[in-house]
Amino acid sequence: MKQTALFLTSLIVIAMGCNTETKVKPGITKKDWGETDGKKVQLFSLTNKNGVEVKIATYGGTITSWSVPTKDGNRADIVLGFDTLGGYLAKPPYFGATIGRYGNRIADGKFTIDNTTYTLATNNGKNHLHGGIKGFDKVIWDAAPVVDSVPTLILSYISKDGEEGYPGNLKSIVQFSLTDDNELVITYDAQTDKATPVNLTNHSYFNLTGDISNSILGHKLLINGSNYTPVDSTLIPTGEIKDVKGTPFDFTTMHTVGERIADVKGGYDHNFVLNKATDPLPLMAVLTDTVSGRTLEVYTTEPGIQFYSGNFLDGKIKNRDGKPINQHSALCLETQHFPDSPNKPGFPSTILKPGEKYHTITKYKIKF
Ligand code: BGC
């Protein structure tokens, strides 16, 4: 009897040990979050003085939760996600993940640099999407929590020459900082030893209502982009840069997402060409839920934003609270270079050469 009790107690202690959150720095905690590929995964949490909390897993450099206090004393989580690693190992469509080596599509998984043609893994019909079969969203990143005036998590990953078909060893560093102004600043740095395309982004799906049973069709959106890149039936840009004026793509003034979506075949899944700005980190998109009063501002150094209205979400996956993730339950605003740039000479280049430094910044500010 005594022995059983002792055994049970030790089991509980071990179980607790696995899930114990340890404070590693002011505003940063860390816990073990299971294992995959024979490696341990950790979940970090960054918090600020206003009670904003962002959780980031070393698996996929994934933002698993991003929550803010509500007026009634509860919390609202503004992104899709799961509380366990298992949810991510089931390969949801990139929820919260860091995307690389190349965010969005490369036509036929092929491109040519200096007369050499490279063939990438194809994982979206005949095209390559979000870095391939095992992109940066499915690898384990090395983590270093630091307090660089604000709680910061630095993730790094070395992608080997030939991984998913890409040339060159690429070292990527992605830094997440949470400020007391309720900003999450994500800085992406990379260096390579052979010329390679690079286009890093984050794939968080937002629903500012905090309850995914409310669709995002009622959210108001502004995108500071007077042009967009039209696509073919496989979502590869045609190469045109088209004026949004008079089209359902005109978000240069605020519109609800749902207002004109029926006029866009399949829903919004398009790259917006952001207007040139003098500010080094300009405000390029604003998303508002008028019911809760929450607003998300997106600032970026990138030339484009992929606005994806969650068209392929189909209710089969359940969110952390068990609710089905239906079509338009959430939307993405992925800051990026344009899709298929390696095959589109008219688009800004995405080729990183040895000796060059890839450096982009995206800042999300949540007002609540
Ligand atoms: C793409 C969509 C895709 C989604 C999830 C977005 O970035 O533009 O076409 O379905 O990611 O993979």
Side-chain angles (χ1 to χ4, degrees):
M1 189 65 186
K2 232 181 178 176
Q3 258 175 350
T4 321
L6 199 67
F7 175 69
L8 282 177
T9 319
S10 33
L11 266 190
I12 292 166
V13 169
I14 291 168
M16 278 172 53
C18 287
N19 289 314
T20 309
E21 227 168 56
T22 351
K23 188 169 171 183
V24 283
K25 300 269 175 193
I28 311 181
T29 64
K30 160 180 145 175
K31 72 174 179 180
D32 289 338
W33 216 46
E35 235 182 81
T36 185
D37 284 349
K39 288 187 205 143
K40 287 212 162 95
V41 176
Q42 276 145 356
L43 184 70
F44 287 85
S45 148
L46 311 181
T47 46
N48 74 2
K49 68 166 191 204
N50 309 313
V52 177
E53 180 175 28
V54 179
K55 292 184 184 171
I56 302 156
T58 53
Y59 178 77
T62 303
I63 296 174
T64 65
S65 162
W66 188 336
S67 66
V68 298
T70 59
K71 294 189 178 97
D72 60 9
N74 289 317
R75 298 189 67 76
D77 207 313
I78 58 162
V79 293
L80 296 185
F82 312 111
D83 290 333
T84 58
L85 177 62
Y88 296 93
L89 297 181
K91 302 187 181 156
Y94 309 95
F95 293 177
T98 295
I99 305 291
R101 207 179 273 205
Y102 196 94
N104 216 283
R105 292 173 176 80
I106 296 179
D108 303 322
K110 283 200 191 314
F111 61 89
T112 302
I113 303 177
D114 297 335
N115 299 320
T116 305
T117 298
Y118 296 93
T119 303
L120 302 173
T122 46
N123 58 329
N124 188 247
K126 62 190 178 74
N127 299 324
H128 174 89
L129 175 68
H130 293 333
I133 295 162
K134 191 168 180 177
F136 290 7
D137 60 295
K138 294 181 189 70
V139 301
I140 301 176
W141 293 67
D142 287 329
V146 295
V147 175
D148 174 16
S149 77
V150 294
T152 296
L153 182 68
I154 300 175
L155 297 182
S156 58
Y157 174 67
I158 294 174
S159 165
K160 296 252 163 63
D161 187 7
E163 203 172 289
E164 300 296 307
Y166 287 101
N169 294 295
L170 181 79
K171 177 162 188 186
S172 302
I173 298 177
V174 183
Q175 180 167 321
F176 300 81
S177 299
L178 180 65
T179 74
D180 280 338
D181 289 330
N182 308 322
E183 301 159 327
L184 181 68
V185 186
I186 311 182
T187 308
Y188 302 88
D189 288 283
Q191 278 188 277
T192 184
D193 57 9
K194 274 188 199 161
T196 179
V198 185
N199 192 22
L200 305 177
T201 190
N202 178 271
H203 209 297
S204 286
Y205 287 73
F206 296 98
N207 181 324
L208 301 183
T209 73
D211 177 355
I212 64 149
S213 40
N214 305 312
S215 101
I216 48 77
L217 296 180
H219 281 41
K220 286 189 167 169
L221 178 64
L222 179 140
I223 302 177
N224 184 13
S226 303
N227 294 279
Y228 76 107
T229 51
V231 287
D232 70 12
S233 61
T234 68
L235 295 171
I236 294 292
T238 59
E240 266 173 289
I241 306 259
K242 210 169 163 187
D243 199 324
V244 296
K245 206 173 281 161
T247 76
F249 298 95
D250 190 350
F251 284 95
T252 56
T253 54
M254 278 228 160
H255 287 275
T256 60
V257 172
E259 205 177 310
R260 301 160 298 176
I261 198 169
D263 301 330
V264 181
K265 202 167 168 245
Y268 294 101
D269 195 353
H270 296 80
N271 170 65
F272 285 71
V273 178
L274 301 175
N275 294 335
K276 294 262 179 307
T278 44
D279 193 320
L281 186 58
L283 175 62
M284 286 300 179
V286 181
L287 183 70
T288 296
D289 164 40
T290 46
V291 179
S292 65
R294 285 187 278 270
T295 288
L296 181 77
E297 294 179 342
V298 184
Y299 300 74
T300 190
T301 58
E302 289 281 21
I305 285 186
Q306 183 82 12
F307 165 36
Y308 170 55
S309 54
N311 315 319
F312 298 116
L313 302 173
D314 59 5
K316 288 195 188 128
I317 304 175
K318 302 228 166 27
N319 201 30
R320 63 173 71 71
D321 53 8
K323 291 187 180 171
I325 301 172
N326 295 317
Q327 189 179 46
H328 311 313
S329 281
L331 61 81
C332 304
L333 293 166
E334 300 152 65
T335 55
Q336 61 178 14
H337 270 59
F338 310 167
D340 201 31
S341 296
N343 296 306
K344 298 281 184 307
F347 289 177
S349 172
T350 49
I351 306 302
L352 181 73
K353 297 191 179 126
E356 290 178 349
K357 286 186 176 158
Y358 177 95
H359 178 72
T360 72
I361 307 173
T362 293
K363 176 172 91 175
Y364 301 90
K365 180 172 177 133
I366 180 80
K367 295 179 166 172
F368 56 96

